[in-house]
Amino acid sequence: MIHCGNIIIAEDAKRLAVAGAELFRRHARRSIERSGRFAAAISGGSTPRSMHRLLARHPYVTEISWERVHLFWVDERLVSADDPASNYGAAKMDFLNAVSIPADQVHPMTSEKSPPEAAADYRRKLETCIGGGADRLPRFDLVFLGIGPDGHTASVFPQDPTAEATDLPVVAVKGGNPNVFRLTLSMPVLNRAACAVFIVSGAGKAQIVKNLLAGEASQLPAARVLPVSGRLIWLLDRDAADTLLNFSHFSSL
Ligand code: 6PG
């Protein structure tokens, strides 16, 4: 494992998943000690699934105080929970059915309503569960984010200002792959998090990771995840960090 500032590089995807699960456990323990609860938001896509599956196993399934965890989503495709594209459906399969988190502390974004109504419902859910409101955005203890090769994160897509030029914590958008209606946490609420973690795996992400960390992609959404009073951690596997490691500016890694 290479640690350099806020960049952590795991040898491979398996060790990346372990590092992610350890981060989840550490932040859960710290938040629960401090405030009695842990409010986390997870992303969809394929990268975090190995980490999620680890959370369903020892030591995480027993050592995390799941009864104190409030789980939210960073984004969701507005499909039914049994649709293979559902981020909630994947998480349910990967760990939610195995851990002892109270059902009323699992907050999926799934909805049968229209996208704008679904977004309004989730905003109310956030306000009820972790605070925030008309003039204050909710603050997550930890958000896990993926990055697409195009530099999107959550469902904040390049050339779509919906989720950035807003003071709302949740908005409805359409885009991505699959190109469907989605809900996403907005950039302002991502940047209000106490800790945001990019978890990135695979050679297919190596170029975008290098461009972002070398400051060569400032116009892309992932480059604008800059927690105002929180931490940003880059959790990469060696394949995703490959171009970075060969970039002179980071040769010290
Ligand atoms: C989504 C995700 C999305 C994802 C990235 C990376 O619901 O589509 O939240 O933002 O994190 O596209 O996806 P992979 O991990 O599959 O590469």
Side-chain angles (χ1 to χ4, degrees):
M1 192 79 71
I2 299 174
H3 285 253
C4 178
N6 65 336
I7 301 173
I8 301 170
I9 301 174
E11 272 310 304
D12 53 34
K14 195 171 174 192
R15 291 181 182 92
L16 179 74
V18 172
E22 282 300 319
L23 254 170
F24 187 99
R25 171 166 61 166
R26 210 166 40 249
H27 282 261
R29 187 177 55 242
R30 205 176 297 160
S31 301
I32 292 165
E33 281 168 2
R34 189 179 53 241
S35 68
R37 72 139 208 235
F38 177 52
I42 57 174
S43 281
S46 56
T47 303
R49 298 198 64 175
S50 304
M51 171 181 71
H52 293 167
R53 291 186 190 113
L54 275 182
L55 293 176
R57 293 168 47 196
H58 182 77
Y60 309 104
V61 70
T62 48
E63 292 186 8
I64 292 172
S65 302
W66 290 102
E67 71 286 355
R68 299 295 187 91
V69 176
H70 289 257
L71 192 70
F72 298 83
W73 270 259
V74 165
D75 63 345
E76 180 59 277
R77 300 82 178 269
L78 288 180
V79 296
S80 66
D82 57 4
D83 186 308
S86 168
N87 293 337
Y88 167 61
K92 205 163 158 34
M93 218 181 321
D94 293 341
F95 73 109
L96 289 177
N97 289 335
V99 300
S100 57
I101 184 170
D104 64 354
Q105 292 174 202
V106 178
H107 307 289
M109 284 179 163
T110 50
S111 173
E112 303 302 320
K113 293 184 178 177
S114 71
E117 288 170 326
D121 279 357
Y122 210 74
R123 288 195 289 269
R124 281 189 286 274
K125 184 179 280 191
L126 280 177
E127 197 172 319
T128 307
C129 298
I130 60 170
D135 59 348
R136 197 166 55 81
L137 290 168
R139 181 172 163 92
F140 286 98
D141 297 309
L142 180 65
V143 293
F144 270 106
L145 298 169
I147 295 178
D150 64 350
H152 83 261
T153 187
S155 287
V156 186
F157 299 106
Q159 287 86 44
D160 180 353
T162 312
E164 295 200 64
T166 179
D167 54 7
L168 296 173
V170 185
V171 292
V173 296
K174 186 170 188 298
N177 177 20
N179 183 1
V180 294
F181 280 106
R182 297 157 172 256
L183 293 192
T184 185
L185 296 184
S186 64
M187 193 59 79
V189 84
L190 294 179
N191 283 334
R192 186 148 153 72
C195 184
V197 182
F198 281 127
I199 180 167
V200 193
S201 173
K205 304 286 177 72
Q207 192 57 55
I208 190 66
V209 164
K210 181 261 181 183
N211 292 349
L212 287 163
L213 283 170
E216 296 164 0
S218 56
Q219 78 289 0
L220 294 176
R224 288 201 281 281
V225 175
L226 300 163
V228 176
S229 57
R231 280 191 74 198
L232 175 62
I233 295 172
W234 289 76
L235 193 49
L236 312 168
D237 66 10
R238 190 171 273 276
D239 285 346
D242 185 52
T243 310
L244 183 67
L245 290 167
N246 297 320
F247 180 57
S248 58
H249 184 57
F250 290 94
S251 56
S252 60
L253 277 179

